[in-house]
Structure formats: C-alpha cells, structure tokens
Short mmCIF file of all heavy atoms in Angstrom, two decimals:
data_model
loop_
_atom_site.label_atom_id
_atom_site.label_comp_id
_atom_site.label_asym_id
_atom_site.label_seq_id
_atom_site.Cartn_x
_atom_site.Cartn_y
_atom_site.Cartn_z
N SER N 16 -10.72 7.17 24.65
CA SER N 16 -9.35 6.52 24.81
C SER N 16 -8.90 5.98 23.50
O SER N 16 -7.68 6.00 23.23
CB SER N 16 -9.36 5.44 25.72
OG SER N 16 -10.46 5.15 26.32
N ILE N 17 -9.77 5.58 22.63
CA ILE N 17 -9.41 5.02 21.34
C ILE N 17 -8.84 6.19 20.37
O ILE N 17 -7.75 6.12 19.81
CB ILE N 17 -10.52 4.31 20.64
CG1 ILE N 17 -10.65 2.89 21.26
CG2 ILE N 17 -10.26 4.05 19.15
CD1 ILE N 17 -11.79 2.04 20.66
N VAL N 18 -9.68 7.32 20.48
CA VAL N 18 -9.23 8.45 19.63
C VAL N 18 -7.92 9.00 20.06
O VAL N 18 -7.05 9.32 19.29
CB VAL N 18 -10.28 9.53 19.73
CG1 VAL N 18 -9.83 10.86 19.12
CG2 VAL N 18 -11.57 9.05 18.99
N ASP N 19 -7.69 9.12 21.35
CA ASP N 19 -6.47 9.59 21.93
C ASP N 19 -5.20 8.71 21.65
O ASP N 19 -4.13 9.20 21.75
CB ASP N 19 -6.59 10.00 23.38
CG ASP N 19 -7.58 11.11 23.64
OD1 ASP N 19 -7.85 11.90 22.66
OD2 ASP N 19 -8.03 11.31 24.79
N HIS N 20 -5.42 7.42 21.59
CA HIS N 20 -4.30 6.53 21.41
C HIS N 20 -4.36 5.75 20.11
O HIS N 20 -3.89 4.56 19.98
CB HIS N 20 -4.32 5.46 22.62
CG HIS N 20 -4.10 6.10 23.89
ND1 HIS N 20 -5.26 6.57 24.69
CD2 HIS N 20 -3.08 6.55 24.71
CE1 HIS N 20 -4.92 7.11 25.76
NE2 HIS N 20 -3.53 7.08 25.86
N ALA N 21 -4.93 6.36 19.06
CA ALA N 21 -5.15 5.74 17.79
C ALA N 21 -3.85 5.21 17.16
O ALA N 21 -3.83 4.10 16.56
CB ALA N 21 -5.97 6.68 16.88
N PRO N 22 -2.80 6.03 17.11
CA PRO N 22 -1.60 5.51 16.36
C PRO N 22 -1.10 4.09 16.89
O PRO N 22 -0.76 3.25 16.05
CB PRO N 22 -0.53 6.57 16.61
CG PRO N 22 -1.39 7.89 16.90
CD PRO N 22 -2.56 7.35 17.53
N ALA N 23 -1.11 3.86 18.24
CA ALA N 23 -0.79 2.54 18.73
C ALA N 23 -1.81 1.52 18.47
O ALA N 23 -1.50 0.39 18.07
CB ALA N 23 -0.38 2.65 20.25
N LEU N 24 -3.05 1.90 18.74
CA LEU N 24 -4.07 0.82 18.69
C LEU N 24 -4.28 0.30 17.25
O LEU N 24 -4.51 -0.86 16.92
CB LEU N 24 -5.44 1.44 19.26
CG LEU N 24 -5.35 1.67 20.78
CD1 LEU N 24 -6.75 2.41 21.21
CD2 LEU N 24 -5.35 0.30 21.53
N ARG N 25 -4.33 1.23 16.28
CA ARG N 25 -4.70 0.80 14.97
C ARG N 25 -3.60 0.15 14.28
O ARG N 25 -3.77 -0.50 13.16
CB ARG N 25 -5.04 2.10 14.11
CG ARG N 25 -4.10 3.02 13.73
CD ARG N 25 -4.67 4.24 13.11
NE ARG N 25 -3.73 5.18 12.55
CZ ARG N 25 -4.01 6.46 12.12
NH1 ARG N 25 -5.34 6.84 12.23
NH2 ARG N 25 -3.15 7.27 11.64
N THR N 26 -2.32 0.12 14.78
CA THR N 26 -1.21 -0.65 14.22
C THR N 26 -0.82 -1.87 15.03
O THR N 26 -0.07 -2.68 14.53
CB THR N 26 0.05 0.22 14.02
OG1 THR N 26 0.35 0.82 15.18
CG2 THR N 26 -0.22 1.39 12.96
N GLY N 27 -1.28 -1.87 16.30
CA GLY N 27 -0.87 -2.94 17.24
C GLY N 27 -1.84 -4.13 17.55
O GLY N 27 -1.35 -5.01 18.13
N MET N 28 -3.03 -4.03 17.05
CA MET N 28 -3.98 -5.06 17.45
C MET N 28 -3.61 -6.36 16.94
O MET N 28 -3.84 -7.44 17.65
CB MET N 28 -5.33 -4.70 16.92
CG MET N 28 -6.03 -3.54 17.69
SD MET N 28 -6.33 -3.86 19.46
CE MET N 28 -7.45 -5.28 19.34
N LEU N 29 -2.93 -6.45 15.67
CA LEU N 29 -2.57 -7.73 15.18
C LEU N 29 -1.05 -7.97 15.26
O LEU N 29 -0.42 -8.66 14.54
CB LEU N 29 -2.99 -7.92 13.76
CG LEU N 29 -4.53 -7.91 13.50
CD1 LEU N 29 -4.83 -8.02 12.06
CD2 LEU N 29 -5.17 -8.98 14.34
N CYS N 30 -0.47 -7.45 16.44
CA CYS N 30 1.06 -7.63 16.66
C CYS N 30 1.10 -8.57 17.86
O CYS N 30 0.24 -8.62 18.75
CB CYS N 30 1.66 -6.21 17.03
SG CYS N 30 1.96 -5.20 15.58
N PRO N 31 2.32 -9.26 17.96
CA PRO N 31 2.48 -10.14 19.12
C PRO N 31 2.48 -9.35 20.37
O PRO N 31 2.86 -8.17 20.48
CB PRO N 31 3.80 -10.70 18.81
CG PRO N 31 4.04 -10.55 17.29
CD PRO N 31 3.33 -9.26 16.96
N ALA N 32 2.06 -10.01 21.47
CA ALA N 32 2.05 -9.45 22.80
C ALA N 32 3.40 -9.88 23.48
O ALA N 32 4.07 -10.80 23.15
CB ALA N 32 0.79 -9.82 23.66
N PRO N 33 3.83 -9.08 24.55
CA PRO N 33 5.10 -9.42 25.10
C PRO N 33 5.05 -10.76 25.81
O PRO N 33 6.16 -11.33 25.87
CB PRO N 33 5.12 -8.22 26.24
CG PRO N 33 4.34 -7.19 25.82
CD PRO N 33 3.16 -7.89 25.01
N GLN N 34 4.06 -11.24 26.39
CA GLN N 34 4.01 -12.50 27.13
C GLN N 34 3.11 -13.49 26.76
O GLN N 34 3.12 -14.58 27.40
CB GLN N 34 3.76 -12.07 28.57
CG GLN N 34 2.32 -11.79 28.95
CD GLN N 34 1.85 -10.36 28.47
OE1 GLN N 34 1.94 -10.15 27.24
NE2 GLN N 34 1.32 -9.61 29.34
N ALA N 35 2.28 -13.43 25.79
CA ALA N 35 1.24 -14.36 25.56
C ALA N 35 1.05 -14.59 24.01
O ALA N 35 1.37 -13.79 23.18
CB ALA N 35 -0.24 -13.77 26.06
N ARG N 36 0.68 -15.79 23.71
CA ARG N 36 0.21 -16.10 22.33
C ARG N 36 -1.03 -15.37 21.92
O ARG N 36 -1.91 -15.49 22.72
CB ARG N 36 0.26 -17.63 22.13
CG ARG N 36 1.46 -18.43 22.23
CD ARG N 36 1.16 -19.94 22.03
NE ARG N 36 0.31 -20.47 23.02
CZ ARG N 36 0.79 -21.02 24.22
NH1 ARG N 36 2.08 -21.14 24.45
NH2 ARG N 36 -0.08 -21.49 25.12
N VAL N 37 -0.99 -14.75 20.85
CA VAL N 37 -2.16 -14.08 20.26
C VAL N 37 -2.64 -14.66 18.94
O VAL N 37 -1.78 -14.89 18.02
CB VAL N 37 -1.86 -12.53 20.13
CG1 VAL N 37 -3.02 -11.78 19.59
CG2 VAL N 37 -1.38 -11.90 21.48
N VAL N 38 -3.94 -15.08 18.92
CA VAL N 38 -4.49 -15.45 17.58
C VAL N 38 -5.78 -14.63 17.47
O VAL N 38 -6.35 -14.16 18.44
CB VAL N 38 -4.84 -16.97 17.55
CG1 VAL N 38 -3.46 -17.71 17.65
CG2 VAL N 38 -5.74 -17.31 18.58
N ALA N 39 -6.20 -14.49 16.30
CA ALA N 39 -7.43 -13.73 15.90
C ALA N 39 -8.25 -14.56 14.92
O ALA N 39 -7.87 -15.18 14.07
CB ALA N 39 -7.06 -12.35 15.31
N PHE N 40 -9.65 -14.46 15.18
CA PHE N 40 -10.62 -15.04 14.40
C PHE N 40 -11.45 -13.88 13.83
O PHE N 40 -12.11 -13.10 14.48
CB PHE N 40 -11.52 -16.00 15.21
CG PHE N 40 -10.88 -17.25 15.53
CD1 PHE N 40 -10.13 -17.32 16.71
CD2 PHE N 40 -10.98 -18.40 14.69
CE1 PHE N 40 -9.51 -18.53 17.07
CE2 PHE N 40 -10.38 -19.57 15.05
CZ PHE N 40 -9.54 -19.67 16.22
N LEU N 41 -11.31 -13.65 12.46
CA LEU N 41 -12.03 -12.60 11.89
C LEU N 41 -13.21 -13.10 10.95
O LEU N 41 -13.07 -13.93 10.11
CB LEU N 41 -11.04 -11.80 10.81
CG LEU N 41 -9.70 -11.36 11.39
CD1 LEU N 41 -8.88 -10.62 10.35
CD2 LEU N 41 -9.93 -10.49 12.57
N PRO N 42 -14.43 -12.59 11.29
CA PRO N 42 -15.58 -13.01 10.50
C PRO N 42 -15.57 -12.34 9.15
O PRO N 42 -15.07 -11.16 9.03
CB PRO N 42 -16.84 -12.50 11.30
CG PRO N 42 -16.32 -11.40 12.16
CD PRO N 42 -14.82 -11.73 12.40
N ILE N 43 -16.15 -12.96 8.17
CA ILE N 43 -16.07 -12.36 6.80
C ILE N 43 -17.01 -11.12 6.80
O ILE N 43 -16.58 -10.11 6.20
CB ILE N 43 -16.69 -13.38 5.85
CG1 ILE N 43 -15.65 -14.59 5.67
CG2 ILE N 43 -16.82 -12.74 4.40
CD1 ILE N 43 -16.10 -15.62 4.72
N ALA N 44 -18.25 -11.23 7.34
CA ALA N 44 -19.20 -10.10 7.06
C ALA N 44 -19.12 -9.16 8.22
O ALA N 44 -20.05 -8.97 9.00
CB ALA N 44 -20.57 -10.84 7.06
N SER N 45 -17.97 -8.47 8.34
CA SER N 45 -17.81 -7.47 9.39
C SER N 45 -16.80 -6.40 8.95
O SER N 45 -15.57 -6.71 8.87
CB SER N 45 -17.42 -8.17 10.77
OG SER N 45 -17.05 -7.09 11.72
N ALA N 46 -17.27 -5.27 8.67
CA ALA N 46 -16.32 -4.24 8.32
C ALA N 46 -15.44 -3.85 9.44
O ALA N 46 -14.30 -3.23 9.19
CB ALA N 46 -17.18 -2.94 7.88
N ALA N 47 -15.80 -3.98 10.67
CA ALA N 47 -14.97 -3.63 11.81
C ALA N 47 -13.74 -4.44 11.91
O ALA N 47 -12.70 -3.98 12.53
CB ALA N 47 -15.79 -3.71 13.09
N THR N 48 -13.79 -5.61 11.20
CA THR N 48 -12.55 -6.51 11.47
C THR N 48 -11.72 -6.62 10.13
O THR N 48 -10.95 -7.52 9.95
CB THR N 48 -13.04 -7.88 11.95
OG1 THR N 48 -13.86 -8.49 10.92
CG2 THR N 48 -13.75 -7.71 13.19
N ILE N 49 -12.05 -5.78 9.12
CA ILE N 49 -11.31 -5.99 7.96
C ILE N 49 -9.98 -5.16 7.91
O ILE N 49 -9.98 -3.95 8.08
CB ILE N 49 -12.15 -5.47 6.67
CG1 ILE N 49 -13.44 -6.36 6.60
CG2 ILE N 49 -11.29 -5.49 5.37
CD1 ILE N 49 -14.30 -5.82 5.47
N PRO N 50 -8.80 -5.93 7.94
CA PRO N 50 -7.58 -5.16 8.03
C PRO N 50 -7.40 -4.31 6.76
O PRO N 50 -7.94 -4.67 5.74
CB PRO N 50 -6.49 -6.26 8.05
CG PRO N 50 -7.36 -7.55 8.42
CD PRO N 50 -8.70 -7.31 7.87
N PRO N 51 -6.60 -3.26 6.76
CA PRO N 51 -6.38 -2.45 5.68
C PRO N 51 -5.55 -3.23 4.63
O PRO N 51 -4.86 -4.06 4.97
CB PRO N 51 -5.50 -1.24 6.21
CG PRO N 51 -4.96 -1.77 7.50
CD PRO N 51 -5.91 -2.76 8.10
N VAL N 52 -5.84 -2.81 3.43
CA VAL N 52 -5.03 -3.57 2.37
C VAL N 52 -3.69 -3.35 2.46
O VAL N 52 -3.27 -2.15 2.66
CB VAL N 52 -5.67 -3.08 1.01
CG1 VAL N 52 -4.83 -3.67 -0.11
CG2 VAL N 52 -7.10 -3.42 0.82
N GLY N 53 -2.92 -4.35 2.22
CA GLY N 53 -1.32 -4.19 2.39
C GLY N 53 -0.77 -4.42 3.80
O GLY N 53 0.40 -4.65 3.84
N GLN N 54 -1.64 -4.51 4.80
CA GLN N 54 -1.20 -4.75 6.13
C GLN N 54 -1.14 -6.25 6.41
O GLN N 54 -2.24 -6.83 6.35
CB GLN N 54 -2.05 -4.01 7.21
CG GLN N 54 -1.54 -4.21 8.63
CD GLN N 54 -2.29 -3.42 9.64
OE1 GLN N 54 -2.51 -2.27 9.38
NE2 GLN N 54 -2.78 -4.12 10.71
#
C-alpha cells in the first residue's frame, strides 16, 4: 500500500490534517525520519 500510494504519502506526512492538530517528534538518530533537504 505504501508503494502504490507513494506520491501522496511521501509528500503528505508532515502536512496538516483536515480536522486535527498534527505535531511530530523526530529523533536525531533515525534515517527513517529525516525529511528530504529543502522540504
């Protein structure tokens, strides 16, 4: 499901949601949570 919906998921995770406040806690030592440069 991630592969098939990649365009939305990879640009939308750090976007506001329609009805809820969204905040994110990113650990330093984690490649999985490093946003791309410039985003």
